[in-house]
Amino acid sequence: MSGPTGFVMRMQVLTPAVLFTAFALSAAVVLTLLSRRTPRWVVLATSALLAGAATGGLTLWIIEGPVNYFGTPLGWSTRWWVVACFAVLGLAVANARRSTLRRKIGAVLGSFVVVTTTVLGINAIYGLDPTIGSLLGVATVAQLALPAPSPSQTLTAVPDPSLPLWKTWTAPAGIPAKGKIGTEVIPSTVSGFAARPAGIYLPPAALTAHPPALPLVVLLMGQPGNPDPHAVAAVLDRFAAANQGLAPIVLVADQLGDPTVDTLCLDTALHGKVETYINTDVVTWARTHLNILADRAAWTIAGYSNGGQCAISFAAKHPQIWGNVLDISGEKYPGAEHPADVLKTVFAGNQAAYDAQKPVVILSHHHYPDTTAIFTASTNDPIYIAAAKTVAAAAAAAGMHVTLHEIPNGGHGIGALNGGFTEGFSVLYPRLGLSRP
């Protein structure tokens, strides 16, 4: 994306300058809305603030309770933002009644400022969307020109397991300090699933004149969310810097199509063939276009939140493809936030068919003697840490080599994601031959 639109979409929204400016503008809006000379204004303004706050509280109760849209408690910081926003909107409505045109316009513009500030403030709590584009679900990185795979290296397993990459690879002079990110359109040749362009991360070693074949990670983000490679790239750049530029190549594939839709990562008539898209179309594209190792031990399916459930489900169903799985704050099973609705709309009320798609059930029917599984969740994310413990226990009982790590106070946002990446790749690097055991 280029031009003025691209510049706007790439603007960072998590910087102190942007946040403090937004907070200051909103404070000015509130003061302006409060300063009105009209009879009984103090009573009217107080009533408007309380009515707005009550509306915000009711909205939160509906979203977190009956609807359960996010599948996890939002946390008090987020709730206070929502209640405060609705309170100010109530004040703006009071300002628009029986007032001058100038004040009416000011109330409308002020409402826009306050809503924008609320979005920025809540986004800062979770930290998952660093740019305007990512907030709006618009890709802000360009398509990446991939190096041509070397016939002598592509799809070749490590010739001698006793000689992993950390022993055989020496970073050449001039190796880039960081990797590159971009996007790639992965055709849905077999599945027909309407996916968004995938994000991609090429580590420094992949950018050299004679790159080694590298491990592959297919990463699935949360819902709502975007196939954005920024977060994983930042973490892997640090790992690469400590390991002569070595890191996995990462494909951040899109399992949603529409960020507001939970596809369950299944092949369904309602949402399309998502499982086939990831495990056939994405896998075939990766084998054809990327300089990667063929050994399943070098292949990892990873995911965060909604994507974490997808990751462990795929690892359990397709062990011939995935030798490793990283489940970061993953859901316990497909549609865990709204099981009654999923049972009705996707499985036509067939509880047995629904249960058969749950990871703990799939794991109980198989044995996985050579699969490494890492589960992470935050200590202050009770629903997801309980899910991690349950699914990790099932994976261990099925023979997977399991690590369960609790991230201190990471919530269900960037703290959990970065902590999960850090702990996960600390386990995976020796397994992938990228660092000394």
Side-chain angles (χ1 to χ4, degrees):
M1 182 178 292
S2 58
T5 300
F7 174 78
V8 172
M9 290 296 105
R10 288 190 294 271
M11 285 184 61
Q12 298 289 317
V13 294
L14 294 177
T15 64
V18 170
L19 294 173
F20 286 142
T21 299
F23 299 160
L25 288 173
S26 285
V29 166
V30 173
L31 291 175
T32 301
L33 293 176
L34 286 172
S35 60
R36 183 179 177 187
R37 297 178 181 178
T38 189
R40 302 181 66 241
W41 175 239
V42 173
V43 174
L44 291 173
T46 301
S47 299
L49 286 166
L50 292 175
T55 303
L58 178 61
T59 301
L60 283 171
W61 178 81
I62 293 172
I63 290 175
E64 293 191 76
V67 175
N68 194 21
Y69 181 75
F70 295 104
T72 185
L74 293 178
W76 284 107
S77 297
T78 299
R79 292 175 184 141
W80 281 119
W81 270 110
V82 173
V83 169
C85 177
F86 272 85
V88 178
L89 291 179
L91 183 62
V93 170
N95 271 265
R97 297 181 66 240
R98 299 179 182 179
S99 61
T100 64
L101 178 62
R102 180 178 178 181
R103 182 163 284 272
K104 293 180 190 298
I105 294 173
V108 172
L109 295 178
S111 298
F112 175 78
V113 170
V114 169
V115 170
T116 300
T117 300
T118 300
V119 171
L120 293 175
I122 294 174
N123 182 59
I125 294 171
Y126 291 95
L128 296 173
D129 295 306
T131 65
I132 292 177
S134 58
L135 265 176
L136 299 176
V138 177
T140 58
V141 290
Q143 186 169 358
L144 190 61
L146 294 173
S150 167
S152 63
Q153 294 173 323
T154 303
L155 300 178
T156 56
V158 177
D160 183 348
S162 67
L163 296 176
L165 278 172
W166 70 267
K167 275 192 172 183
T168 61
W169 166 258
T170 300
I175 186 173
K178 295 183 177 181
K180 281 188 177 181
I181 60 174
T183 60
E184 290 292 336
V185 175
I186 300 179
S188 54
T189 307
V190 177
S191 67
F193 178 65
R196 294 169 292 176
I200 189 168
Y201 167 75
L202 296 179
L207 305 176
T208 58
H210 303 286
L214 293 167
L216 173 71
V217 172
V218 173
L219 172 64
L220 310 170
M221 294 297 288
Q223 186 269 325
N226 310 301
D228 190 327
H230 282 92
V232 70
V235 172
L236 282 178
D237 275 343
R238 295 197 295 271
F239 275 87
N243 292 279
Q244 297 201 68
L246 291 173
I249 292 174
V250 181
L251 274 180
V252 190
D254 179 29
Q255 83 279 17
L256 301 175
D258 181 341
T260 66
V261 174
D262 180 2
T263 64
L264 311 177
C265 277
L266 301 173
D267 287 352
T268 66
L270 184 61
H271 300 306
K273 296 183 177 180
V274 182
E275 183 174 347
T276 298
Y277 175 69
I278 300 297
N279 296 279
T280 299
D281 289 326
V282 171
V283 165
T284 300
W285 186 91
R287 286 174 173 158
T288 305
H289 292 80
L290 299 176
N291 191 22
I292 51 178
L293 296 165
D295 191 341
R296 63 177 291 280
W299 282 46
T300 303
I301 183 72
Y304 162 68
S305 191
N306 174 279
Q309 180 281 127
C310 300
I312 184 57
S313 291
F314 292 160
K317 291 179 179 180
H318 305 280
Q320 76 282 5
I321 300 175
W322 311 108
N324 313 287
V325 56
L326 172 57
D327 179 347
I328 300 172
S329 302
E331 297 166 358
K332 189 175 180 181
Y333 55 85
E337 311 97 322
H338 40 89
D341 181 60
V342 169
L343 177 63
K344 178 181 178 181
T345 60
V346 178
F347 293 95
N350 188 334
Q351 186 66 59
Y354 190 8
D355 290 343
Q357 297 295 338
K358 296 178 179 180
V360 293
V361 174
I362 300 168
L363 290 164
S364 69
H365 296 314
H366 301 279
H367 185 62
Y368 308 85
D370 188 27
T371 296
T372 295
I374 306 102
F375 298 86
T376 71
S378 298
T379 54
N380 59 342
D381 193 10
I383 293 175
Y384 288 86
I385 199 165
K389 290 178 178 178
T390 298
V391 182
M400 291 186 180
H401 304 283
V402 172
T403 300
L404 173 64
H405 191 90
E406 299 181 19
I407 309 298
N409 301 315
H412 197 73
I414 195 65
L417 182 62
N418 284 342
F421 282 148
T422 300
E423 296 300 331
F425 286 116
S426 294
V427 174
L428 286 171
Y429 251 64
R431 160 78 166 174
L432 301 177
L434 301 176
S435 69
R436 184 187 300 271

